[in-house]
Every structure is written in structure tokens, then in C-alpha cells.
């Protein structure tokens, strides 16, 4: 599926799975998250995550026991970790 790139606005972007590095909410360290849904544009070369993916990652990292996460984790495993709360109640 060809998508419009959010950076250069050309129709040369497609969905990919990529590796990202994310700082934990407490700022103690960063982790590697593999197989993360993303977008890559063949026109400008930009590789990025959608706002929905970013929000899902940040919410999950806020709501799980990050001490259970080593230096890296696949996206699906991260999203399957049990949460302390059902949702982020701090989002208004």
C-alpha cells in the first residue's frame, strides 16, 4: 500500500517494521524496540512512526513495569506486557 509521506508529502511511502530507541518515562535509560510499525518514504528517505504508534508506545511504557524490560524488546511483546492501570488516566 502506497501512502503519502508526512514529511515530503509525496506518494512514495509504505508501511514497514523497524527498530526504534525509546527513552523510558522515568528517564533512567533508553531501550531498543524491534519490529515497530513505521512508515518509510523512498522519495525523501525519512523513516518514522505515526502519531497513533507513538501514543501507544508512550502509554504502554508509562503503564507497565519497565524494570521487567531488558535493553530491548519486540514491539508486540512490549504491547502485551500487563499494565498497572487499564489506561493512561493522566491524558486529558
Amino acid at each position: 500500500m502506497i501512502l503519502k509521506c508526512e514529511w515530503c508529502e509525496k506518494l512514495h511511502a509504505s508501511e514497514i517494521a523497524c527498530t526504534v530507541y525509546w527513552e523510558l518515562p522515568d528517564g533512567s535509560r533508553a531501550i531498543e524496540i524491534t519490529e515497530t510499525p513505521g512508515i518509510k518514504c523512498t522519495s525523501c528517505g525519512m523513516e518514522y512512526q505515526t502519531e497513533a504508534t507513538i501514543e501507544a508506545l508512550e502509554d504502554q511504557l508509562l503503564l507497565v513495569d519497565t524494570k521487567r524490560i531488558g535493553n530491548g524488546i519486540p514491539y508486540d511483546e512490549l504491547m502485551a506486557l500487563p499494565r498497572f492501570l487499564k489506561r493512561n488516566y493522566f491524558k486529558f
Side-chain angles (χ1 to χ4, degrees):
M1 175 179 189
I2 301 297
L3 306 168
K4 184 177 180 181
C5 176
E6 291 181 17
W7 294 89
C8 71
E9 299 186 349
K10 294 184 180 170
L11 293 173
H12 294 260
S14 57
E15 294 178 348
I16 61 167
C18 54
T19 299
V20 298
Y21 300 88
W22 224 266
E23 185 176 355
L24 296 179
D26 66 3
S28 62
R29 62 192 172 103
I31 60 170
E32 178 184 70
I33 306 169
T34 58
E35 302 169 34
T36 305
I39 307 290
K40 181 169 177 91
C41 178
T42 57
S43 183
C44 69
M46 185 59 76
E47 199 173 285
Y48 60 94
Q49 281 62 52
T50 64
E51 288 298 320
T53 300
I54 292 168
E55 188 173 315
L57 275 170
E58 290 180 349
D59 281 352
Q60 187 68 355
L61 288 171
L62 184 66
L63 298 171
V64 300
D65 182 4
T66 56
K67 292 178 181 107
R68 296 181 56 194
I69 303 171
N71 291 331
I73 188 170
Y75 178 83
D76 289 339
E77 282 183 36
L78 172 62
M79 300 312 281
L81 288 175
R83 293 177 167 196
F84 291 128
L85 301 170
K86 291 182 182 180
R87 66 182 193 94
N88 182 357
Y89 294 99
F90 303 105
K91 195 179 295 179
F92 301 104

